[in-house]
Amino acid sequence: MNNDIERVLYSQDDIKAACQRLGAQLTQDYAGKKPLVIGVLKGVIFFMTDLLREMDLMADIDFIDVSSYHGGTASSGQVTLEQDISVDIKDRDVIIVEDILDSGRTLAYLKNLLEARNPRSFKICTLLDKPEGRTVEAKADYVGFDVPNEFLVGYGLDYQEFYRNLPYVGVLKPEVYANK
Ligand code: 5GP
Ligand code: MG
Ligand code: MG
């Protein structure tokens, strides 16, 4: 699996430092509150667990599963809800946690879906932000890294469901796509 990686963009140490920085910021911003942290499956799983352990807060957690990619390296454009959250978010301080913000369609969809349920506040935290990928307006409140417009894998991000368990974020070798 590691042999398929052309270059590492963010090492385990880089990611750890980003989680510490974001966790400290959230701890400060949500002091005295009990935020509900909602992770967007499946790409978020590693970031969600590392970030939460850097937050010194009484936070409860839930997950939502949406899909917009259907196997390739470009978004299909259509976002569908695979599995909803299991709690009522009315009057809650909601923090959405994402692996990567690209076209913005997923976040625009989630914002529309969840804000209609009247949370007290609604903020977005993403490990990676690809500003050049944007096709609809979407902005994260907390960002780990701004990334170039390349297809990334690792630390939760997949190519055809694999490579999620790489401990770093990297770029795949072009021949990996060519062979498919
Ligand atoms: P958006 O809806 O903003 O275009 O994309 C959100 C989702 O698309 C992400 O949560 C992620 O699953 C997928 N995605 C966007 N860019 C990348 C990328 O560079 N690599 C991988 N593996 N997935 C991506
Ligand atoms: Mg995602
Ligand atoms: Mg994917």
Side-chain angles (χ1 to χ4, degrees), residues 40-41 43 98-100:
V40 185
L41 293 171
E98 257 280 32
D99 51 358
I100 185 165

Side-chain angles (χ1 to χ4, degrees), residues 34-39 45 48-49 51-53 55 57-64 85-87 92 95 97:
K34 291 181 176 171
L36 171 64
V37 181
I38 301 176
I45 58 167
M48 179 90 164
T49 55
L51 178 67
L52 279 163
R53 284 173 292 176
M55 293 167 60
L57 291 169
M58 299 293 286
D60 55 338
I61 65 181
D62 207 346
F63 292 94
I64 193 164
I85 48 172
S86 59
V87 295
R92 297 297 312 270
I95 305 170
V97 184

Side-chain angles (χ1 to χ4, degrees), residues 122-136:
F122 186 87
K123 299 277 183 190
I124 290 149
C125 176
T126 186
L127 177 66
L128 308 172
D129 187 358
K130 208 189 266 185
E132 286 171 54
R134 217 69 98 244
T135 57
V136 304

Side-chain angles (χ1 to χ4, degrees), residues 137-153:
E137 203 186 307
K139 208 179 157 326
D141 303 283
Y142 301 90
V143 177
F145 304 103
D146 277 343
V147 300
N149 201 5
E150 289 181 279
F151 187 74
L152 310 175
V153 294

